[in-house]
Amino acid sequence: FETNVVIILAAVFFALLFAIGLNSLARCALRYVGRGATAAAAGEGGATARGACRGGGGIKRRVIRSLPVEVYGSGEDIDGVCVICLSEFVDGEKVRVLPLCGHGFHVRCVDAWLVSHGSCPTCRRPVLEGAPAKSE
Ligand SMILES: [Zn+2]
Ligand SMILES: [Zn+2]
């Protein structure tokens, strides 16, 4: 009989573990869905924001490469520090500037970031919103 009790206890224990795991999984999924819904609700002109919103993940390399690059020290109004690697820009260094918010980062840093994220590391604004910004 005692063996049975141990087996039942073990089963209950594993069931609990399983439930906890499921619970955190469900929470994760819920949070993800919630974020997606919020983003979709907040997005204006959602029909044209296909590139930025697809999958809620990163941005295509082709699109990343099309983002503007400035050379630091040429009078551009860019924060002096790359928040991804936390090092200061050096004059002559290439800085990728996000068109919507104007935040700048090292090209290599932000490219790696954008492959898996669709938003600015500093202000979390989407990198692309609707049609690509036209230069004035
Ligand atoms: Zn950097
Ligand atoms: Zn930003």
Side-chain angles (χ1 to χ4, degrees):
F1 278 116
E2 277 185 22
T3 327
N4 273 345
V5 171
V6 169
I7 289 171
I8 289 167
L9 275 179
V12 168
F13 179 71
F14 280 114
L16 254 176
L17 268 186
F18 184 69
I20 290 169
L22 256 187
N23 189 24
S24 57
L25 246 180
R27 254 192 239 172
C28 240
L30 271 180
R31 202 189 305 159
Y32 183 78
V33 169
R35 243 173 57 190
T38 321
E44 302 149 278
T48 47
R50 213 187 300 155
C53 292
R54 183 181 300 173
I59 297 174
K60 285 180 185 168
R61 283 196 176 273
R62 184 165 50 85
V63 178
I64 294 173
R65 266 190 248 119
S66 73
L67 294 173
V69 174
E70 311 278 359
V71 174
Y72 189 72
S74 59
E76 291 299 326
D77 184 24
I78 307 171
D79 289 349
V81 176
C82 168
V83 301
I84 300 174
C85 67
L86 298 178
S87 61
E88 290 185 15
F89 298 128
V90 179
D91 279 7
E93 213 163 21
K94 284 186 177 173
V95 176
R96 182 143 0 244
V97 180
L98 302 184
L100 281 181
C101 60
H103 287 125
F105 314 90
H106 292 124
V107 171
R108 61 177 185 280
C109 296
V110 79
D111 283 10
W113 167 272
L114 291 177
V115 167
S116 51
H117 303 77
S119 57
C120 170
T122 300
C123 65
R124 303 282 164 180
R125 280 190 65 168
V127 172
L128 296 167
E129 193 172 47
K134 283 176 192 158
S135 49
E136 292 163 50

